[in-house]
Amino acid sequence: MSNEAILHANIGATLDVHGEHQEHHHETFITKYIFSQDHKTISKQFLITGMVWAVIGGLMSVLFRLQLGFPDESFPWLEDLLGKWWAAGGHITAQGYYALVTIHGTVLIFFVLTAGLSGTFANLLIPLQIGARDMASPLLNMLSYWFFFIAGIIMLSSIFVETGPFSGGWTAYPPLSALGDASPGSKSGMDLWIISMALFVVSSLLSGLNYIATVLNLRTKGMSMTRLPLTVWSLFFTAIVGVLSFPVLLSGFILLIFDRNFGTSFYLSDIFLSATGAALPNEGGSAILFQHLFWFLGHPEVYIIVLPAMGIVSEILSINSRKPIFGYIAMVGSMFAITTLTFLVWAHHMFVTGLNPFLGSLFTLFTLLIALPSAIKVFNWLTTIWRGSIRFTPSMLFAIGFVSVFISGGLTGLWLGNSALDIHLHDTYFNIAHFHLVMGVASIFAMFAGVYHWFPKMYGRRMNNTLGYIHFWISIIGAYLIFWPMHYEGLAGMPRRYYDYSIWESFKQFSELNKFISIVVFITFSTQILFIINFFYSIWYGRKETSLNPHGATTLEWTTPIKPGHGNYRKYLNTSLGL
Amino acid sequence: MATISNTNNNQRIHPHKFTLWVAIASICMMFAGLTSAYIVKSNQDNFLEFSLPNYFWFSTIAILLSSVTMHLSLKTFKARERNKYKLLISITVVLGSIFAALQVEGFISLDNHGIRLIGQNSNAAASFLLVIIGLHGLHVLGGIIALLVMFFKSFSQKIKNYNSVPLEVVSIYWHFVDILWIYLLIFLIWIR
Ligand code: HEM
Ligand SMILES: [Cu+2]
């Protein structure tokens, strides 16, 4: 049985494989900063790439808010800046508007809040907090980043093609996505969109596999699953949700590619084209099929975005309240419940597709059930800070802000989850308000919290607190002022994804409100620049971190040197004694 | 084996094997997505009915045999019978390629019988066959490439490597694509 011996010895060797790197550091600039396999460098790459995308996606929202707030005014400089396709005569054009909202949604959901959030914190925290020297497969980890990077380049280039980027919404429903003739954005912009997204899915799968294998296999001695920090648990569940749901999206995309390019009839049927006046040759396809495949990922995707945020917030709230997290097991249990239930609710996005009412009631039931674990988590966060001796650092404020917007947005989820109510609210601004608060703002806040908190670990320096406070207060006030009024617009029936509301008598009442929202958007967006300046300035000129454990945390990443080298730990850890 | 595997870490499954198992779960979800879409479609009126060409049966034999030779090559590798191992792994590659070729033949024969897979007058029933079987075929091709890498590695004289983990990983994958095909075949026969 000598082979078994070799096999088993090899496991030890794998755990050890990066230990040796610390001794011989023959790394060139390229292997150290570009094609790095060190999880900490990859984490920074994800973070900075995510930030670039956040700026691009955010600027897009500034542009379309300009249109929504000031539909009657013209801004000649816009045409000079963007060209005729986007802003003929100083007005954002309709095609430009749809392109902007689509790419804004795609980029923020997938590039910023999926890759940017998970990629940054899973890479930084999983190995450091479980006491591993690196990921299970550093190579796959590096590949995952580069797939993401290339996906980004392709998405970016789609913005510059002659017929514009894809413009059918981030959900990419056919026929707009399946039929090149359906709209300008359905042409080569859509080809690039789908290639980019396919590469993005590959990137997510590679990293998800790696995260799961790392958490289950590379924990240091004594780090049992019940001792894992909630950050690691949340990133672990996120990875599970990802590897089980992204492949279904991929299969939906494959069928879409066949319909687009090879004339099949999965989604397309003999619909009439206004451009040609003739029916398509396709027969029997159903766009609803795509919606099922899409939302089977699409709903879990929102939890892929919010679960890591929940983990980060749990950790930061507890550290800055100087108290252990309240109800650790309940926290893990509720994340497990979310991970399971999230696969059973996708059709709540499809209540108005003619779904069988009985099925609709089942999906309503499961949807409302998700509120339970969510409520348990909220309760535990509040009891964690209850009577703590709280330090209101910027990261703590953002974590509290997360809880606040998560509650505000979660409550409206209960409205939308009722199929009867949703028939009225579907695809209105109520929906926009719901998901921006519960997911968009919440997860971005958690990401800020995480960056402020772990910045000393990433760069060995501190970010400026004063700028952090300004950033927080304007962001949270801005977020509420932007999204709260949208609830009223949605209740009044104002649909989403319309280019110009001023031509409807019934929505004229909102023109002042829309102007107000847009102005707040401009202010809030500008404030984010403060964060970016703070971030980059502090990388080089921030106050040097002198303490090994600046926040008084109990997790392992603060037992490494202030700036850990490749391999993280100087010697093997045994947490069965220490913690 | 029990002699050295008494520390904590050694009891655990090798990370690369574990990663593969998770990847297998992931691949299963992709095919679950496709096959459930197929079920939904098959309830529609215009879903074309036709029987599978015999090629798909012959290919099944090829891939089943290849699983046997894969199993044997792992065994001979562990027994350090190099030459037998080289022979068996080459046979596995050949059988895998025969499988792939027969799948292509199957599609050609469908086309010859006037069943269009793509383009004008194609029916979703046939297009699904192309997507599902084709996608499985791509996974087989990936496996063949991995097998070839193993094969050429065995010729490198400089390093005598007896670490069987890479081969085990490939072998698990190979058996997986075999089982996946059996599932798909039964599925496609059942739901017509
Ligand atoms: C209490 C729990 C929740 C319930 C009951 C709920 C329910 C719903 C329902 C029924 C819709 C569909 C609305 C429609 O299109 O008419 C919806 C939309 C949405 N929800 Fe939630 N939700 C909850 C929590 C969350 C969370 C935690 C997130 C993200 C982290 C989230 C993200 C979204 C997104 C992104 C959409 C809109 C997608 C789109 O149409 O573009 N929701 N929610
Ligand atoms: Cu949902």
Side-chain angles (χ1 to χ4, degrees):
Chain A
M1 286 275 106
S2 51
N3 287 295
E4 240 92 357
I6 289 165
L7 196 164
H8 284 215
N10 193 57
I11 294 176
T14 320
L15 295 175
D16 202 14
V17 76
H18 285 277
E20 74 224 38
H21 278 244
Q22 244 174 8
E23 280 85 61
H24 52 91
H25 249 294
H26 302 305
E27 285 178 312
T28 60
F29 179 82
I30 292 196
T31 57
K32 191 153 178 229
Y33 294 107
I34 299 177
F35 294 107
S36 171
Q37 299 193 12
D38 182 345
H39 69 100
K40 297 183 292 299
T41 310
I42 296 174
S43 151
K44 293 174 196 169
Q45 291 173 326
F46 270 109
L47 177 58
I48 291 174
T49 316
M51 281 167 66
V52 170
W53 277 112
V55 172
I56 297 175
L59 269 175
M60 290 180 159
S61 69
V62 167
L63 287 174
F64 65 69
R65 274 316 312 187
L66 202 61
Q67 162 62 23
L68 292 175
F70 308 90
D72 303 325
E73 277 160 60
S74 82
F75 308 91
W77 51 270
L78 267 182
E79 190 180 334
D80 301 338
L81 193 71
L82 303 171
K84 264 212 159 46
W85 196 89
W86 295 89
H91 279 287
I92 300 284
T93 56
Q95 57 189 7
Y97 177 84
Y98 290 120
L100 287 172
V101 286
T102 302
I103 304 300
H104 163 81
T106 309
V107 155
L108 274 133
I109 288 192
F110 292 109
F111 292 179
V112 180
L113 292 177
T114 303
L117 181 65
S118 279
T120 304
F121 292 102
N123 273 306
L124 180 71
L125 296 180
I126 289 179
L128 281 172
Q129 291 194 331
I130 67 174
R133 289 176 181 275
D134 207 317
M135 287 286 178
S137 171
L139 176 70
L140 283 191
N141 209 20
M142 178 183 83
L143 285 178
S144 156
Y145 173 74
W146 287 103
F147 270 105
F148 167 50
F149 184 83
I150 296 169
I153 296 290
I154 293 175
M155 189 64 77
L156 191 65
S157 59
S158 83
I159 298 173
F160 299 100
V161 300
E162 202 180 336
T163 46
F166 179 54
S167 316
W170 76 280
T171 50
Y173 285 176
L176 282 181
S177 59
L179 201 59
D181 292 333
S183 76
S186 310
K187 297 185 180 19
S188 54
M190 181 56 192
D191 288 323
L192 294 172
W193 190 93
I194 202 164
I195 295 170
S196 165
M197 283 305 298
L199 292 174
F200 179 82
V201 170
V202 173
S203 156
S204 297
L205 290 174
L206 290 181
S207 53
L209 295 178
N210 222 341
Y211 303 156
I212 295 174
T214 308
V215 172
L216 289 182
N217 291 288
L218 298 191
R219 297 191 313 282
T220 192
K221 197 154 180 254
M223 179 57 79
S224 59
M225 290 300 273
T226 49
R227 285 180 154 180
L228 286 181
L230 288 176
T231 33
V232 177
W233 267 116
S234 70
L235 292 160
F236 175 65
F237 282 129
T238 306
I240 293 178
V241 175
V243 297
L244 296 182
S245 62
F246 269 116
V248 178
L249 179 71
L250 198 59
S251 55
F253 279 171
I254 291 169
L255 299 184
L256 186 59
I257 290 174
F258 269 79
D259 268 14
R260 275 182 73 73
N261 301 313
F262 306 118
T264 53
S265 304
F266 295 117
Y267 305 135
L268 288 176
S269 53
D270 45 355
I271 50 176
F272 277 83
L273 278 186
S274 62
T276 58
L280 291 181
N282 304 61
E283 226 180 283
S286 139
I288 307 286
L289 177 64
F290 179 84
Q291 298 194 15
H292 279 292
L293 292 172
F294 180 86
W295 285 114
F296 190 85
L297 158 96
H299 182 80
E301 168 64 21
V302 305
Y303 282 93
I304 291 176
I305 289 173
V306 91
L307 278 169
M310 290 173 159
I312 291 169
V313 163
S314 307
E315 196 65 28
I316 291 175
L317 285 180
S318 132
I319 291 172
N320 289 301
S321 308
R322 321 304 305 140
K323 277 174 69 191
I325 188 83
F326 183 90
Y328 174 86
I329 295 291
M331 286 306 230
V332 177
S334 52
M335 281 196 279
F336 176 76
I338 288 175
T339 303
T340 321
L341 283 172
T342 196
F343 287 103
L344 304 174
V345 301
W346 77 90
H348 67 210
H349 297 273
M350 301 169 59
F351 283 142
V352 298
T353 54
L355 193 73
N356 177 328
F358 174 70
L359 274 182
S361 64
L362 276 188
F363 278 105
T364 296
L365 176 70
F366 285 125
T367 301
L368 298 186
L369 273 182
I370 285 210
L372 272 176
S374 313
I376 292 175
K377 298 198 74 82
V378 168
F379 178 81
N380 286 357
W381 287 320
L382 297 180
T383 35
T384 298
I385 51 179
W386 178 252
R387 301 212 163 153
S389 62
I390 303 178
R391 286 183 310 215
F392 288 102
T393 59
S395 71
M396 179 66 168
L397 287 175
F398 272 110
I400 296 173
F402 167 92
V403 178
S404 167
V405 289
F406 185 75
I407 296 173
S408 310
L411 287 176
T412 54
L414 298 176
W415 298 41
L416 294 167
N418 281 294
S419 48
L421 279 176
D422 186 58
I423 289 173
H424 176 60
L425 296 171
H426 176 70
D427 267 359
T428 65
Y429 266 72
F430 193 87
N431 185 11
I432 303 280
H434 159 68
F435 75 76
H436 276 91
L437 285 176
V438 77
M439 172 184 80
V441 179
S443 291
I444 269 283
F445 273 19
M447 199 164 161
F448 287 139
V451 171
Y452 283 111
H453 185 81
W454 278 287
F455 194 84
K457 190 83 263 164
M458 296 180 103
Y459 296 101
R461 291 175 188 267
R462 293 255 187 147
M463 288 176 73
N464 181 294
N465 269 358
T466 315
L467 288 180
Y469 290 128
I470 301 174
H471 177 212
F472 170 74
W473 286 110
I474 297 183
S475 295
I476 186 145
I477 295 170
Y480 273 113
L481 290 182
I482 292 166
F483 294 113
W484 197 268
M486 290 186 188
H487 291 110
Y488 304 111
E489 298 183 333
L491 285 171
M494 193 170 117
R496 70 195 281 200
R497 291 180 175 147
Y498 278 28
Y499 161 61
D500 185 353
Y501 295 91
S502 62
I503 46 178
W504 271 272
E505 203 51 51
S506 45
F507 306 130
K508 278 218 172 99
Q509 50 165 327
F510 293 124
S511 63
E512 288 305 309
L513 189 57
N514 278 334
K515 198 169 289 174
F516 170 76
I517 292 177
S518 293
I519 291 169
V520 184
V521 168
F522 306 148
I523 298 171
T524 314
F525 179 78
S526 326
T527 315
Q528 308 311 311
I529 309 285
L530 273 189
F531 170 78
I532 292 178
I533 294 172
N534 192 354
F535 180 86
F536 286 105
Y537 181 85
S538 306
I539 291 181
W540 287 285
Y541 307 108
R543 182 157 61 79
K544 270 214 162 118
E545 187 57 70
T546 48
S547 159
L548 274 182
N549 188 358
H551 309 301
T554 54
T555 39
L556 289 181
E557 74 273 29
W558 306 105
T559 63
T560 60
I562 289 180
K563 283 186 90 170
H566 196 172
N568 300 340
Y569 293 97
R570 293 225 169 99
K571 53 183 193 310
Y572 276 123
L573 290 169
N574 185 346
T575 53
S576 46
L577 306 172
L579 278 176
Chain B
M1 45 189 146
T3 48
I4 52 148
S5 52
N6 44 17
T7 62
N8 199 354
N9 285 330
N10 288 351
Q11 304 256 309
R12 289 191 193 146
I13 175 171
H14 190 282
H16 290 173
K17 258 194 238 172
F18 187 81
T19 310
L20 177 69
W21 283 112
V22 185
I24 285 176
S26 197
I27 297 171
C28 285
M29 284 307 289
M30 183 164 77
F31 283 95
L34 288 170
T35 45
S36 40
Y38 182 94
I39 294 176
V40 174
K41 275 272 162 180
S42 65
N43 290 327
Q44 287 177 354
D45 305 333
N46 67 342
F47 202 71
L48 197 65
E49 278 188 44
F50 55 90
S51 55
L52 289 182
N54 285 337
Y55 288 107
F56 292 122
W57 291 101
F58 301 142
S59 73
T60 309
I61 300 173
I63 200 164
L64 281 174
L65 282 178
S66 79
S67 251
V68 175
T69 56
M70 181 73 239
H71 177 73
L72 292 176
S73 50
L74 182 62
K75 236 172 127 175
T76 49
F77 182 89
K78 285 191 174 172
R80 303 195 182 180
E81 298 173 68
R82 291 235 138 198
N83 290 330
K84 267 195 198 165
Y85 160 70
K86 281 181 199 165
L87 178 68
L88 281 163
I89 199 156
S90 339
I91 297 178
T92 314
V93 171
V94 171
L95 285 170
S97 316
I98 291 177
F99 171 82
L102 285 171
Q103 304 293 79
V104 175
E105 284 297 326
F107 287 126
I108 294 175
S109 125
L110 276 178
D111 198 60
N112 289 343
H113 287 82
I115 297 170
R116 297 282 164 265
L117 302 168
I118 56 173
Q120 286 264 323
N121 302 325
S122 64
N123 186 280
S127 311
F128 257 121
L129 224 54
L130 177 65
V131 171
I132 294 177
I133 296 180
L135 215 53
H136 172 266
L138 285 182
H139 284 82
V140 171
L141 282 186
I144 293 177
I145 292 170
L147 282 173
L148 284 175
V149 172
M150 292 294 125
F151 177 69
F152 287 114
K153 255 170 80 175
S154 69
F155 281 98
S156 133
Q157 292 296 325
K158 281 191 213 114
I159 329 153
K160 279 263 179 286
N161 196 343
Y162 294 110
N163 175 9
S164 64
V165 171
L167 191 63
E168 284 176 56
V169 168
V170 175
S171 135
I172 294 172
Y173 179 77
W174 192 259
H175 294 313
F176 164 67
V177 290
D178 182 355
I179 294 167
L180 180 61
W181 169 248
I182 305 294
Y183 158 71
L184 291 176
L185 186 69
I186 294 172
F187 175 87
L188 292 171
I189 292 166
W190 201 302
I191 301 182
R192 297 257 89 212

